[in-house]
Amino acid sequence: MKEDDPRLEQNKREKPVSQMGKVISTGFIGGVFWSFLAYVASILNYTEIKPSLILQPIALGDWKNGTLGEFISIVLIGVISIGVALVYFAVLKRFTSMWIGIAYGAALWGLVFFILNPMFPDLKMIFELPRGTIVTTVCIYILYGLFVGYSISFDYNELNTNNEN
């Protein structure tokens, strides 16, 4: 057998994942990971807000307030996070600064807690929430925005740098 035989495993190349595939997977993984961390924070009483908050506007059974509801909510947040990542990709992908991702996460927090607040009947107004809940949720949203934003921007700029060479 020849060393450069294309049938040999060591000579096969993996097809690269498309940039859109990376954005989608970054969004989903970021949403699942950070909402799971929010669930852990709620178990440890750092925050009153759980991921199942997203199921409140939907008339479902009492299961939505249990562990099953939390895990379904975590996956649902991951799916919604794909859209959030696609918005970041469409608008902010060319920025290389981590501060853009941090600002994006803070803007998402503001969107959920100020603008979308009336959608969630059990969510208190922001000024009625305990300070610990506010600080914890702001931090989680900022870290989520940083993760999604910097991952997408880094990948986009890395691909463009390689294409120019």
Side-chain angles (χ1 to χ4, degrees):
M1 289 207 125
K2 295 167 86 179
E3 286 182 22
D4 55 346
D5 186 355
R7 292 176 293 174
L8 292 175
E9 188 69 29
Q10 66 263 25
N11 293 332
K12 292 184 180 176
R13 302 270 184 235
E14 287 187 28
K15 292 181 182 177
V17 178
S18 71
Q19 192 163 22
M20 196 55 66
K22 289 179 184 178
V23 169
I24 290 169
S25 62
T26 298
F28 182 76
I29 291 168
V32 168
F33 178 77
W34 292 106
S35 60
F36 179 75
L37 238 55
Y39 178 57
V40 170
S42 70
I43 290 172
L44 297 173
N45 294 322
Y46 286 113
T47 179
E48 293 179 354
I49 299 169
K50 298 179 179 184
S52 61
L53 173 75
I54 199 162
L55 295 177
Q56 281 184 358
I58 304 168
L60 299 171
D62 287 337
W63 62 267
K64 72 180 178 181
N65 297 322
T67 307
L68 177 63
E70 296 298 336
F71 285 107
I72 289 173
S73 298
I74 289 169
V75 172
L76 183 59
I77 290 170
V79 171
I80 292 170
S81 182
I82 292 171
V84 172
L86 289 171
V87 168
Y88 188 94
F89 180 76
V91 179
L92 302 169
K93 67 184 173 218
R94 60 187 168 89
F95 296 103
T96 57
S97 174
M98 70 177 189
W99 295 105
I100 301 298
I102 290 170
Y104 190 65
L108 289 172
W109 182 85
L111 175 74
V112 169
F113 285 89
F114 286 107
I115 297 172
L116 298 180
N117 188 298
M119 279 181 47
F120 306 110
D122 293 341
L123 181 60
K124 298 176 191 173
M125 293 301 292
I126 191 69
F127 304 108
E128 298 170 355
L129 290 170
R131 187 177 310 148
T133 294
I134 294 170
V135 170
T136 302
T137 55
V138 166
C139 289
I140 289 171
Y141 272 81
I142 284 174
L143 289 170
Y144 165 76
L146 179 62
F147 172 80
V148 169
Y150 200 71
S151 297
I152 291 170
S153 293
F154 179 82
D155 184 56
Y156 174 77
N157 289 303
E158 190 73 17
L159 182 68
N160 284 346
T161 303
N162 289 341
N163 286 344
E164 289 174 0
N165 293 337

